[in-house]
Amino acid sequence: MINVERMRRIAYSALFVLTLTGCSSQRIVDDNYLLTVLGLDKSNAGYKETGLYSDFNLGGRTELLQGIAAKPSLLIDELDNQSSLPVMITKLKLLIINKQLAEEGLAPFIESICRDPLISHYLIVAVSDGSTSSMLESLVDVKSESLPYRTVEHNMRSGRTPDSNLHNLLFDYYGEGRDPSVPYLKLNDNGKIEITGHAIFKDDRLKLTINQEEIALYKMLQGRLVRGSMPFAINKGQNEGTAVFNSLSGKKSRMLSKASSGFKVTYNLTLNGMVKDYPKWIELKKSGDPELLTQQLEKQLRSKLLALLDKFVKNKVDPLGIGDFIRAHQRKAWQEKQFYEVEYPSLVFDVHVKIHLIKSGIVE
C-alpha cells in the first residue's frame, strides 16, 4: 500500500526546495550586477573597460560601468570597486576588444578573462573598428533584445556570419595549423552596431579583416551553410547587366595532392540556390539562358574564391586550418613554423564550383 501521508510530505518538501531555489535565483539577479557585454580599449594607464548590465531593480534598464586598470586581471576588480553591488561575469555574452589592442595581441585577455572558470564557452569575442566605450555608451537604456550580442547571434543562426565563440577561439588559438577569427563590429552613422567583416589573427595578433562579400566566400570554403545574396555580372551578346544569386544550401570537399612546388589543395563546392533578380533580356525558361547564368556565376565564384585563398597566404594567416589538414595527411613529423615559412607560400590551390538552380525569381 502506498503511504499517502509520506508521499504528501515528499511533495511538500520538493515544493519548499523549489521555492527556496527560486528565491535564491531572484536574489542573485537583484543583489548583483551581471555584466552581459564588456568592451576593452587601450588607455595611458593600461586598459579602459566599459561594461553593460541590466539593473533589475530599475525594471531591467541597461546601465554602464567604466574603469581603468593596469592589467587585464584587475579589470573586474576595478568595476567592483566603484559599484554598490558585486559585479559578476557569469552571464557575460560578448567581449569586444578594440582594434588597436587586437593588433597588439589577445594573449593578455585570453590568459585572464577568457580562461576564468566562470566564463561560458559560448561567450562571443569580437573586435571593434573604433572605441568600444563609445560603442557601448550608445546602448544605455536600450532593451536587452537590442544589445549587440543578439545581433551577432542572429547573423550566426541565419548563416550570414561564421560561427564564433570562446570554445572555437581557444581551439584555434592553442591548436596547430590553424588561426583564430572573430566578428568585426562597427558603430555606424545611424548609431547602430553592425557586423562589417571578420577579423583574422596570426597567433594572437590581428592581421587581416575581410569584408561581407569575402565572409560569404570564406564560409563556402569552410563548408558551412551560406545564405545570402551574391551579385554577379552577366553578359549575353552585346548586353551587360547584373544578376543576384541566393545561396540556400551546399556542400564542400577538400583534397590534397602533390604539385611540382609542393602540395596542391583542391576545393570542390556544390551550391544550391535561386536567381532572385536578373536582366529582362535573360529568360530562364528559354533553352541556354539558365546554363549561361550558371556558367558565368561558377566562373566568377571560382575566381573570387581563389583570390581569397591567395589573400590568406599573402597575409600569412590560415583561418581555414589548411596546415592542420596537411598535417593530418603526412606521415613524417610536421613542423608548424617550417610549414608556414616555406610550404604555405608555395601551396597550389584549385577550386571547382558547381551551381544548381533550384528556383528562379521574378524579373522586375
Side-chain angles (χ1 to χ4, degrees), residues 221 265-269 301-303 305-306 309 349-353:
L221 293 170
V265 179
T266 302
Y267 284 87
N268 294 293
L269 303 175
L301 266 180
R302 179 178 184 273
S303 176
L305 290 164
L306 286 170
L309 288 165
F349 290 102
D350 196 8
V351 177
H352 300 151
V353 181

Side-chain angles (χ1 to χ4, degrees), residues 71-83:
K71 293 183 176 295
S73 57
L74 300 175
L75 289 168
I76 303 304
D77 290 340
E78 176 59 29
L79 293 184
D80 228 359
N81 291 338
Q82 56 179 288
S83 171

Side-chain angles (χ1 to χ4, degrees), residues 131-190:
S131 162
T132 67
S133 61
S134 299
M135 184 177 285
L136 298 186
E137 285 166 4
S138 70
L139 298 173
V140 174
D141 288 338
V142 304
K143 295 181 179 179
S144 61
E145 56 266 27
S146 300
L147 292 176
Y149 69 85
R150 302 274 192 183
T151 302
V152 179
E153 289 175 341
H154 160 68
N155 279 273
M156 287 181 186
R157 286 194 301 268
S158 65
R160 292 182 176 87
T161 296
D163 292 337
S164 179
N165 56 38
L166 181 58
H167 174 78
N168 295 337
L169 173 64
L170 295 180
F171 179 79
D172 291 337
Y173 175 69
Y174 287 109
E176 288 188 321
R178 56 181 65 248
D179 290 321
S181 64
V182 301
Y184 192 75
L185 308 179
K186 183 178 181 180
L187 185 66
N188 65 24
D189 295 337
N190 296 320

